Amino acid sequence: MSGNFLVYIDQFKGQALPTSWEVLSAAHYLAEKLGGSIYALALGEASQAVAEMAYQYGVEQALYCDDPSLADYRPEPYTALVSKIAQEKGVGVLLFPTTSRGREVAAMCAVDLQGGVMPDVTELEVVDGKIIATRPVYAGKLLAKAVCDVEPAIITTRVRAFKKPQGDASRAGVAQRVDAVMAEGDIRTKVTGYAQAGGGVSLTDANVIVSGGRGVSNNPNLTPPADMDEKQAEIWRAQQGFKLVGELAAVLGGAVGASRAAVDAGYIPYAHQVGQTGKVVSPDLYIACGISGAIQHQAGMRSSKIIVAINKDPDAPIFKLARYGVVGDLYAILPPLTEAFRKRLGK
Amino acid sequence: MNIVVCVKQVPDSAAKVVAEGGRVTWGDAPLVLNPWDEFAVEAALILQEATDANVTVISVGGESTKEALKTALAMGCGQAILISDPALEGADSRAIAQVLSAAIQKIGDVDVAFFGKQAIDGDMGVTAAQTGRFLGWPVLSLASTIKLEGDKLVIERSIEEGRQIVESKLPAVISVSKDIGEPRYPSFMGIRKASRANIPVWSLADLGIHAPTPLVRWPDVVNPPAREVKTEIITGDSPQQIAEQLADKIMEEKVL
């Protein structure tokens, strides 16, 4: 591999996604081994300030384009511009964060540039001048090594897999504006609006996740309103349980997760699902409440640093992964646990 | 209107997948229609019901892949095509996307090509985007709702920040998120029809292309390092006492 490095800084309305800076760590590691300069690129509304933040993490040059045609993310104009910059700057390796946008533009640039794409990479090494990327496959049940035999190699790094580099505010610079490639009239899509999600901490970025499973509906002491049928009452009970899960998550500054069973039963929206057909997460602390730990759920959270399991069933498979376990009722344990953290964290 | 759904056959999500000598094994677990692709089939059938479209399900794979195609037929797809060629052994995602785009072109007059978000084996999540790029069609990924309004599609996409609402001209490539709704079960009639279906097989020669050169190799696959966990069960006389102890233990881990 030879050539320069292009790092795509993913941003939304002037806010860089935190994982974007982690990509610069991966770029610095590769540049040290292979030589070459690092360029950073941010596209979209208010992207100049985002691009300029890259200077403090050490880049040769930051580039941006805030052309109105790029105000909202659309893959075609974004890809066209990233591909053009890669060619102009003699780029041998393109790096993206594994966000919905990053993964997509990476995939499409690979077609434009006849490069090889290796998404969602957790480790990089350089052997005999070749990049060997490690990526979890089968939702992390296995690790595959990937090698790209052509240039450019196109890599997306998994959220939280690489450490954000130390910033140095004294390294500042002015980003260079580049022109859009596609004219608005040639773009076949139009973004007409946004509907915001409920907010809160994003699961994949979260340092702490508190998750609930089937067990959250399992409190016979609660009396649901009289006019509810059986299914409504079950969901009502589950929502009381998720309230406790949410309170603990809030005190810990974390996000709320859920098992597939809880999502399929209608207790909580799909956006919270952790597992093979949900989100794959690796927080520092994962607290599983009323989750038995099916193999598909484990696939989504097994790389968490410290796992805590609270479950009534002492034989639940989740205990095999857990550093700490409580065999007991989450309804009894969660309120005093939330209180205990509130005291310790001064909240 | 003509709709194509691109699907993949994968080991069941409950399979115990193990690496042995650099190869992936899954014991006697069944091969199934990729779970994410069930949502793509569902989305295609929702659009079909609204427009009276033809739905063709296609896949690249060996003879056994016909079983995954039959699942999609049983759910309600009209016809299936298998693309199979020994020269595709070791194909990478880009090569598969090139083959799928050639097949979509051969089918002809296709308005929408649906994909799942990713396959649960390789977890690449790039095939929809790459196929769209080869076709030169707009790519609308992670769709949670899809409507046809006149001659354009109106799509809500599930992204990190919530939902993005996008209008697109046809033809287009759409990848589907789980928010589209629970995939339907195959009907009894559907299963009977699927079991009798004669699925045509297209080779690369039928598509008029040569095997694309793979650009990414997978020299090795390994089992992840075993998690060395010693589980400590916290006990106590009361939930309060257990909670206090557990909080202390977690604080000592210095993760907060």
Side-chain angles (χ1 to χ4, degrees), chain A residues 139-318:
Chain A
K141 291 176 193 168
L142 301 178
L143 299 174
K145 306 280 179 188
V147 177
C148 172
D149 285 322
V150 294
E151 279 178 25
I154 300 171
I155 293 163
T156 83
T157 62
R158 173 170 285 200
V159 179
R160 295 172 59 83
F162 294 83
K163 267 207 163 67
K164 178 179 161 179
Q166 283 289 333
D168 176 354
S170 70
R171 288 185 298 204
V174 177
Q176 189 199 334
R177 188 179 191 280
V178 292
D179 289 327
V181 174
M182 287 182 81
E184 181 61 44
D186 295 332
I187 305 170
R188 297 173 60 83
T189 58
K190 200 164 81 185
V191 174
T192 56
Y194 292 90
Q196 285 297 324
V201 183
S202 135
L203 265 185
T204 39
D205 289 330
N207 204 32
V208 177
I209 295 175
V210 188
S211 280
R214 265 279 188 198
V216 295
S217 66
N218 204 356
N219 184 354
N221 298 330
L222 287 171
T223 312
D227 57 341
M228 284 184 175
D229 66 26
E230 210 172 302
K231 181 69 195 170
Q232 287 169 324
E234 178 192 334
I235 290 179
W236 182 85
R237 280 202 188 91
Q239 285 165 349
Q240 311 312 306
F242 266 110
K243 212 179 277 173
L244 302 180
V245 169
E247 282 163 8
L248 177 57
V251 165
L252 299 175
V256 173
S259 70
R260 176 176 170 172
V263 171
D264 284 355
Y267 298 169
I268 187 162
Y270 166 62
H272 294 273
Q273 186 178 319
V274 171
Q276 191 154 16
T277 52
K279 297 210 165 67
V280 176
V281 298
S282 54
D284 290 338
L285 175 62
Y286 189 93
I287 304 181
C289 310
I291 292 177
S292 65
I295 187 166
Q296 294 95 333
H297 187 74
Q298 292 190 16
M301 45 66 79
R302 58 174 299 139
S303 61
S304 307
K305 201 161 160 194
I306 301 288
I307 295 169
V308 177
I310 301 171
N311 203 298
K312 272 188 187 169
D313 174 9
D315 297 323
I318 191 80

Side-chain angles (χ1 to χ4, degrees), chain B residues 92-112:
Chain B
D92 64 2
S93 67
R94 194 173 178 281
I96 296 295
Q98 210 170 335
V99 170
L100 288 171
S101 69
I104 289 165
Q105 270 156 343
K106 183 177 162 72
I107 291 166
D109 289 324
V110 174
D111 298 288
V112 186

